[in-house]
Amino acid sequence: ADAFGVESSPAPQEIRAMPMPTDLGIVDCMISFPATDFSQYEFIRRQLKDPESRDGYDFPVEYMFKNVPKELYGTENPIDVTLHEMDRFGVERGLIGAGNEVSAKALKDHPDRFIPSGNVDPNEGMEGVRNMVRQYEEFGVRAFSAFPAGCNPQVAIDDAKFYPIYAKCVELGVPIFVCAGVPGPRLPMDCQKVERIDRVMYDFPELVFVTRHGCEPWEKLAMKLMLKWPNLYYSTSAFAPSHYPKEIVNYANTRGADKIIYAGYFPMGLSLERIMTDMPTVDFRDHVWPKFLRENALKVLGLDS
């Protein structure tokens, strides 16, 4: 073990990978509905400077993904499409962004299947904080999400502009999911460096902070910080399971079984079929699977009771 007590590169016979269970009732911490078109990405496209990703792709990070399920966009019944895919692959509940007409209908018609999440913009100051309260009261959101590199202008994870948001999350008793690591869109990365999380957790030890989108190339640092800070978690959004960082899988199998949370990326960049076809290849031990696929999400979202 290293200085942090993490088992270092165990021999293959020490890791007893177990088959993925099929009857857990998976909770997906990043799922959505096929949109009418790709206009939802205009807030990213406006900030891009390279012609290829600004004008050449429907999806600004399409260069990173194979077989983006674009054929689903423009469907007449987007909620039915997502529910159908969830039912196919054993996804019982999904965390969705609240606020638009489709998500509002999904939350009203299927409260047992969808969990509302709010959005934050640190550039909005106190109006943004008041909007958090409105989302909490109107939709009953169980989490908020932030994309530091996508803010315009960008706002670093540890910037003072984020501090009122973190404080309000603590006050409301909900977690915040924050993109960390090199952003997929061709935008500057400095604002999402994983090292910035350390200061936030020091200043807000009660804050439940969940990283999104992999933390690469600083996934080992993310692991060290999770050992250090009890309320810091990691979700696997935007990664096909065959590409989960080895450091994260190893951490889940050793001391981090309670810290790693499943999140997909349907229908933005990955199909649920791709994710769940890949999933059995992940070398999780038997005690990790239920925590990863269900229990950790319910705990973080305050739904485990």
Side-chain angles (χ1 to χ4, degrees):
D2 65 13
F4 282 81
V6 177
E7 296 176 24
S8 55
S9 301
Q13 64 270 21
E14 295 175 355
I15 293 289
R16 294 182 297 104
M18 294 293 179
M20 172 189 166
T22 58
D23 58 350
L24 286 174
I26 297 167
V27 178
D28 188 333
C29 280
M30 191 171 188
I31 197 167
S32 189
F33 309 101
T36 302
D37 54 33
F38 294 88
S39 60
Q40 62 182 309
Y41 301 114
E42 283 305 313
F43 80 101
I44 296 175
R45 194 169 284 109
R46 284 194 296 267
Q47 302 177 65
L48 297 171
K49 293 187 176 181
D50 68 291
E52 183 181 47
S53 56
R54 187 185 63 225
D55 305 319
Y57 298 133
D58 295 317
F59 178 42
V61 293
E62 198 169 333
Y63 73 94
M64 296 181 64
F65 295 93
K66 295 180 180 178
N67 302 318
V68 175
K70 295 192 292 184
E71 70 279 1
L72 300 177
Y73 279 65
T75 184
E76 187 175 338
N77 299 301
I79 298 172
D80 290 345
V81 170
T82 295
L83 283 171
H84 175 72
E85 293 303 292
M86 291 169 68
D87 291 342
R88 282 181 67 197
F89 298 104
V91 178
E92 180 181 297
R93 304 181 77 178
L95 185 68
I96 64 170
N100 63 45
E101 183 178 341
V102 173
S103 62
K105 179 173 173 53
L107 291 167
K108 179 182 178 182
D109 293 349
H110 306 281
D112 58 329
R113 304 301 301 276
F114 298 112
I115 306 163
S117 174
N119 294 304
V120 299
D121 183 350
N123 287 310
E124 293 179 351
M126 281 306 300
E127 181 54 35
V129 174
R130 286 187 281 269
N131 189 41
M132 291 175 68
V133 175
R134 284 194 290 269
Q135 293 176 80
Y136 181 81
E137 293 177 346
E138 181 176 353
F139 303 110
V141 298
R142 305 300 305 186
F144 288 97
S145 65
F147 179 17
C151 294
N152 191 8
Q154 291 185 335
V155 182
I157 289 171
D158 59 349
D159 191 283
K161 290 181 181 179
F162 260 117
Y163 273 42
I165 290 170
Y166 297 146
K168 183 56 67 172
C169 285
V170 172
E171 183 179 309
L172 295 175
V174 297
I176 187 165
F177 287 69
V178 182
C179 296
V182 174
R186 290 168 178 157
L187 298 167
M189 70 181 187
D190 184 71
C191 60
Q192 291 191 177
K193 286 184 175 178
V194 171
E195 65 196 55
R196 295 181 177 276
I197 299 170
D198 187 54
R199 182 73 201 195
V200 173
M201 301 313 298
Y202 174 75
D203 287 336
F204 295 92
E206 298 171 71
L207 176 68
V208 177
F209 189 110
V210 187
T211 68
R212 270 185 171 162
H213 291 14
C215 295
E216 286 189 330
W218 304 290
E219 63 270 23
K220 187 170 183 178
L221 176 57
M223 177 193 69
K224 298 291 188 182
L225 291 178
M226 282 188 281
L227 282 167
K228 180 179 180 181
W229 300 112
N231 286 332
L232 179 60
Y233 297 82
Y234 177 107
S235 70
T236 58
S237 59
F239 274 64
S242 59
H243 295 291
Y244 289 168
K246 291 181 180 179
E247 290 285 353
I248 296 301
V249 174
N250 185 52
Y251 175 57
N253 281 330
T254 53
R255 295 186 60 184
D258 295 326
K259 291 298 199 87
I260 311 302
I261 297 171
Y262 165 64
Y265 204 44
F266 174 83
M268 293 75 77
L270 294 167
S271 67
L272 272 179
E273 182 172 7
R274 167 69 192 281
I275 293 169
M276 293 304 168
T277 301
D278 265 16
M279 191 67 77
T281 68
V282 181
D283 292 332
F284 282 142
R285 292 178 175 176
D286 56 350
H287 73 285
V288 175
W289 282 112
K291 293 176 179 290
F292 170 66
L293 291 174
R294 178 180 177 85
E295 295 170 11
N296 293 344
L298 294 178
K299 178 183 69 175
V300 162
L301 296 171
L303 298 171
D304 52 348
S305 61

